[in-house]
Amino acid sequence: MIKSLRAARTLSGVVNLPGDKSISHRYAMLAAISEGTSVFSGFASSRDCHSTLDCLRALGVEVSVSGDTVAIQGRGLSGLKKSRQVLDAGNSGTTIRLLSGILAGHPFETAITGDSSLSGRPMGRIIRPLQQMGAVVESRDGGLPPLKIRGGQLKSVRYTLPVASAQVKSCVLLAGLYADATTAVEETIPTRSHTEIALREFGATVRISGNWIEVDPNPHLRGQTLRVPGDLSGAAFFLAGAALVPGSELLLPGVGLNPSRRTLLDYLVRSGLDLKVLNEREDAGEPRGDLRVRYSPDLLQSRMPPIQGNDTASMIDEIPVLAVLGAHTAGLEISDAGELRVKESDRISAIAANLRAMGAEVSEKPDGLTIQGGQTLQSADIVTRNDHRIGMAFAVAALVAKGETRIIDAECADVSFPGFWETLAGVAR
Ligand code: S3P
């Protein structure tokens, strides 16, 4: 599908977001290995989370979906059944990496694969710790999917993450549920903490001390009834859109505001965005609130603060849209973002190519981008490389570009934000 977009006069109204993708994956997997029924409202409609549900079904889990409510009949900690088919994680790195941790604790062989993008993404980062724990894991070409995992009783590890990755951290913590003693993971750069929070919510014992996160094995996990907050990474496109389009004002209710993710909000406020968090509350250990954002002419005047170090890791999924903001404002320097090269696409190269197509001056670094900014963006054909965050980020660029921008393969937005195009059309005047 090609989506044609023109500049908007203004953005106004209420944006209802899909459920948080990261939290939905974790709730579904933990529900599957709990005892009793779990019911989740606001569950992500994203294609990625539905890949997780399909994998769980293939592993013998009863899952029913009605609108955004998902009910899962838990099979107990070691109750998954051998799948008769190869599991398909689709486009979803979170599905393959987190589920591998759980499969490593089950005494049968599972094959798991994904689409062409996922098949090119590095899995050595989870294979190495799972092998140290005693699982047998085979891969293609030394670390690519498909993976074949033969699990069983695991040995505990104390593992220092070699990359800043919540997926790797989560994989090891989930495998730790099947270990012979306490498993510990050290992260020197903090990443999203949804697994730690969800594990506790379902009844596991998790201790955090400095950089170390410990999980005790063999917990008695119990099914939960929980509400998934709105996806802050999906909100980012609308926050950026409102920042750029004159006269905009948007309200985004019920957005997840986990401290490990909300660096984005602090960063945008530091950049000059008129953004308020209203009605803050906490449910199931996950803070949430309503966001009110207004057009911010101040933000357009100055160069945005550089994105580097721990901030890069905390905002890793929002960098494509922040790069668009940087191009339309007075520029932005992004560093320490080498991980972007192994996301759903090589996002450094995809951002640079599409910004250049729109007339921006950009240079690529191995681990980031230098964006000059200060130029009026021109319309272009946006090559999304089937990467949802590239498609949606450049939809925001289109809102302030001269002429008609065409987003190629625009259906990729469904990976994290089904209904994105309708939601955007609903607020763009
Ligand atoms: C995610 C972690 C991040 C993020 C991804 C979702 C998660 O990936 O980019 O979209 O749910 O744990 P990495 O763990 O590879 O950094």
Side-chain angles (χ1 to χ4, degrees), residues 173-232:
L173 291 175
L174 290 169
L177 302 176
Y178 302 91
D180 54 359
T182 297
T183 289
V185 181
E186 184 188 34
E187 55 176 4
T188 46
I189 299 173
T191 64
R192 61 192 71 192
S193 59
H194 304 302
T195 301
E196 298 87 306
I197 293 170
L199 275 167
R200 281 185 175 147
E201 214 53 41
F202 280 80
T205 302
V206 176
R207 287 176 297 277
I208 299 175
S209 147
N211 294 340
W212 285 92
I213 304 147
E214 290 185 349
V215 66
D216 287 348
N218 209 18
H220 182 65
L221 303 180
R222 289 170 302 276
Q224 301 293 318
T225 297
L226 300 170
R227 173 149 200 99
V228 180
D231 197 317
L232 181 59

Side-chain angles (χ1 to χ4, degrees), residues 21-22 26 94 97 125 164-167 192 316-317 343:
K21 183 158 85 71
S22 291
R26 286 154 172 83
T94 310
R97 295 197 178 111
R125 50 184 63 192
S165 167
Q167 292 175 353
R192 61 192 71 192
I316 196 75
D317 288 345
K343 293 290 178 189

Side-chain angles (χ1 to χ4, degrees), residues 128-146:
R128 281 183 289 277
L130 291 179
Q131 286 176 337
Q132 274 183 38
M133 296 178 86
V136 179
V137 187
E138 289 168 33
S139 62
R140 182 174 56 86
D141 293 343
L144 298 174

Side-chain angles (χ1 to χ4, degrees), residues 128-403:
R128 281 183 289 277
L130 291 179
Q131 286 176 337
Q132 274 183 38
M133 296 178 86
V136 179
V137 187
E138 289 168 33
S139 62
R140 182 174 56 86
D141 293 343
L144 298 174
L147 303 181
K148 259 192 210 158
I149 302 163
R150 195 159 342 102
Q153 172 67 52
L154 301 175
K155 298 188 288 270
S156 67
V157 278
R158 285 180 71 75
Y159 191 73
T160 297
L161 292 175
V163 279
S165 167
Q167 292 175 353
V168 179
K169 169 177 68 176
S170 304
C171 172
V172 179
L173 291 175
L174 290 169
L177 302 176
Y178 302 91
D180 54 359
T182 297
T183 289
V185 181
E186 184 188 34
E187 55 176 4
T188 46
I189 299 173
T191 64
R192 61 192 71 192
S193 59
H194 304 302
T195 301
E196 298 87 306
I197 293 170
L199 275 167
R200 281 185 175 147
E201 214 53 41
F202 280 80
T205 302
V206 176
R207 287 176 297 277
I208 299 175
S209 147
N211 294 340
W212 285 92
I213 304 147
E214 290 185 349
V215 66
D216 287 348
N218 209 18
H220 182 65
L221 303 180
R222 289 170 302 276
Q224 301 293 318
T225 297
L226 300 170
R227 173 149 200 99
V228 180
D231 197 317
L232 181 59
S233 300
F237 303 106
F238 291 89
L239 300 180
L244 294 180
V245 181
S248 294
E249 175 162 350
L250 295 173
L251 181 71
L252 299 90
V255 187
L257 298 174
N258 181 302
S260 63
R261 304 269 298 277
R262 71 185 285 167
T263 307
L264 170 72
L265 302 186
D266 301 336
Y267 175 78
L268 287 171
V269 169
R270 262 198 291 140
S271 306
L273 184 66
D274 180 352
L275 172 65
K276 291 264 173 318
V277 179
L278 312 168
N279 193 18
E280 245 190 287
R281 56 226 185 246
E282 192 176 299
D283 194 2
E286 290 284 359
R288 41 201 93 194
D290 308 333
L291 301 181
R292 198 208 58 212
V293 60
R294 292 193 175 122
Y295 172 62
S296 308
D298 288 355
L299 185 146
L300 302 181
Q301 304 316 316
S302 44
R303 212 172 153 78
M304 295 176 67
I307 301 177
Q308 59 198 8
N310 290 1
D311 284 355
T312 304
S314 310
M315 301 194 288
I316 196 75
D317 288 345
E318 290 80 61
I319 286 180
V321 76
L322 293 173
V324 165
L325 268 185
H328 195 73
T329 61
L332 170 63
E333 181 81 27
I334 300 167
S335 310
D336 305 316
E339 275 294 301
L340 283 182
R341 294 214 180 264
V342 290
K343 293 290 178 189
E344 286 82 330
S345 68
D346 175 344
R347 287 186 175 156
I348 292 181
S349 139
I351 292 167
N354 285 306
L355 280 181
R356 279 193 203 113
M358 298 188 88
E361 212 179 299
V362 187
S363 53
E364 256 187 63
K365 307 184 287 184
D367 71 337
L369 294 153
T370 306
I371 301 165
Q372 287 315 335
Q375 272 141 333
T376 307
L377 298 176
Q378 308 295 325
S379 60
D381 277 3
I382 300 302
V383 181
T384 58
R385 307 185 188 188
N386 262 313
D387 182 332
H388 54 130
R389 300 210 193 274
I390 298 296
M392 292 186 280
F394 282 87
V396 173
L399 298 176
V400 288
K402 266 197 183 150

Side-chain angles (χ1 to χ4, degrees), residues 90-136:
N91 194 242
S92 174
T94 310
T95 304
I96 194 168
R97 295 197 178 111
L98 270 61
L99 202 50
S100 293
I102 292 175
L103 291 169
H106 281 77
F108 49 73
E109 186 175 284
T110 308
I112 181 162
T113 191
D115 68 7
S116 60
S117 154
L118 190 61
S119 300
R121 295 181 64 188
M123 296 298 143
R125 50 184 63 192
I126 59 158
I127 295 173
R128 281 183 289 277
L130 291 179
Q131 286 176 337
Q132 274 183 38
M133 296 178 86
V136 179

